[in-house]
Amino acid sequence: MKRLLFILAFLLIITNMSFAQQFTETELIQGYAQREDTTYFVFMPYFYKSITPKRVVVTGSFRGWSQDMQDGKWQLIYRDKIWALALHNPGFELIKPSAEFKFRVDE
């Protein structure tokens, strides 16, 4: 049990560090970034002035265009005015570079 708690705490620290990194303006506009084996989806409410999201998820060809907003694996986390999600994606196994995607917003 202690080992599991340690692993969860470690993953939380790594996730927090990942979201702290800076994204370029181009990455913010296109909605994603690729860093080594990690694909980041980033959503800036600033670009959509009339919305205040309570939840943001990403869907696309890699999810079969699922409309499920409850699946935690695909929910972005809000930090520092940016909604972001980091997904381990070595060798583009999960998400191919040309994969189509969109953000679903729950206001």
Side-chain angles (χ1 to χ4, degrees), residues 1-12:
M1 184 66 173
K2 286 183 180 182
R3 182 177 174 92
L4 178 61
L5 289 174
F6 174 78
I7 292 170
L8 290 174
F10 179 74
L11 290 174
L12 182 60

Side-chain angles (χ1 to χ4, degrees), residues 36-104:
E36 298 177 9
D37 285 344
T38 304
T39 299
Y40 296 88
F41 288 101
V42 291
F43 178 81
M44 288 279 302
Y46 172 80
F47 295 139
Y48 309 92
K49 304 218 185 272
S50 64
I51 65 169
T52 306
K54 293 179 183 167
R55 181 182 320 176
V56 178
V57 298
V58 65
T59 191
S61 54
F62 46 87
R63 284 186 70 196
W65 295 101
S66 171
Q67 301 300 304
D68 180 9
M69 294 197 64
Q70 303 302 320
D71 188 346
K73 178 178 181 179
W74 303 103
Q75 291 181 5
L76 283 68
I77 296 172
Y78 186 72
R79 257 192 204 92
D80 300 324
K81 300 180 183 177
I82 297 174
W83 289 84
L85 172 65
L87 294 167
H88 188 63
N89 191 26
F92 305 107
E93 293 172 359
L94 179 62
I95 304 165
K96 305 294 183 214
S98 61
E100 294 181 337
F101 70 94
K102 69 178 181 178
F103 295 109
R104 296 203 61 226

